Amino acid sequence: LRFKDQPDAEVEVFFPNQLGNLQGSGSGNFLMGMTPTTPFTLSGIFTVTKGYFLFQLKNYLRLPMSLKEGGTISWTGDPVNATISMSAVYKTKVLLKGVVPPGSEHENIRVPVESVIRLNGKLMNPEISFGLNLPNVDENIKSEVFATIDTNNMTTMAEQTFYLMMMEQFKPVINTSLASMDMRGTAF
């Protein structure tokens, strides 16, 4: 049986381990198969045009996030072995305090921030990664922020993302370089 989804078809996925659920609308082409002697199979790709991810951390946090257009769920036979490639975005506006040098002219500026959660791999046990976007923010400010936050360190990115979502501010980054430390009055 082959069918093509309508452009506004909906899909809903409930993730294990209280990770949350996603609901999206989109389209796709599918091939389903089953005979009395073979198991049910499903092949095809569903592409999201809009939707949300209700991100959940046990009973601590329930946060609706917008799905980015173009994310996919793919099946290649066994429906249980579906794969996902999707991103969800949480938008807020926060002060730059804590991620720009103290006394910076940008310290008390409120900027738009997008916290991004990416879900990739097996649908029922996706790999999760994190990212930050500063949409419509001056390039000099972006450079200052991303010079402070190590975007290649996944632990740092997870901390910043959760801090932004839960506290509505950046997690302060402590500069430990000797050049910024006041060593006067320190006894050795």
Side-chain angles (χ1 to χ4, degrees), residues 18 20 128 132 138 141 154 165 168:
Q18 298 180 345
I128 301 170
L132 295 175
D138 179 86
I141 295 174
M154 290 317 302
M165 292 188 308
E168 294 284 325

Side-chain angles (χ1 to χ4, degrees), residues 96-97 100 104-110 138 140-141 144:
L96 292 173
K97 188 173 187 169
V100 295
S104 166
E105 63 181 297
H106 302 129
E107 188 174 32
N108 293 313
I109 293 176
R110 190 172 291 276
D138 179 86
N140 291 330
I141 295 174
E144 202 170 348

Side-chain angles (χ1 to χ4, degrees), residues 1-145:
L1 178 64
R2 179 181 296 275
F3 67 95
K4 182 176 179 172
D5 266 347
Q6 298 297 318
D8 56 355
E10 291 196 8
V11 67
E12 187 165 8
V13 177
F14 293 88
F15 291 102
N17 302 321
Q18 298 180 345
L19 179 62
N21 67 298
L22 68 80
Q23 186 173 30
S25 59
S27 62
N29 290 310
F30 301 95
L31 178 62
M32 295 190 304
M34 187 169 97
T35 69
T37 59
T38 61
F40 176 72
T41 61
L42 179 63
S43 297
I45 298 175
F46 178 82
T47 303
V48 170
T49 54
K50 64 181 177 181
Y52 73 90
F53 173 43
L54 181 60
F55 179 64
Q56 185 172 313
L57 275 177
K58 306 274 182 191
N59 292 322
Y60 304 114
L61 177 69
R62 290 177 55 88
L63 192 65
M65 303 175 74
S66 300
L67 292 178
K68 285 181 134 181
E69 184 176 357
T72 61
I73 300 174
S74 304
W75 292 268
T76 58
D78 184 351
V80 176
N81 291 328
T83 58
I84 187 170
S85 178
M86 207 165 290
S87 295
V89 178
Y90 176 75
K91 297 178 181 182
T92 189
K93 280 186 114 177
V94 299
L95 291 174
L96 292 173
K97 188 173 187 169
V99 293
V100 295
S104 166
E105 63 181 297
H106 302 129
E107 188 174 32
N108 293 313
I109 293 176
R110 190 172 291 276
V111 297
V113 178
E114 294 177 346
S115 298
V116 180
I117 295 181
R118 294 181 207 92
L119 305 169
N120 290 293
K122 295 290 182 189
L123 180 62
M124 288 296 111
N125 189 21
E127 295 176 20
I128 301 170
S129 60
F130 305 92
L132 295 175
N133 294 327
L134 301 174
N136 305 316
V137 173
D138 179 86
E139 289 301 318
N140 291 330
I141 295 174
K142 283 182 186 181
S143 295
E144 202 170 348
V145 170

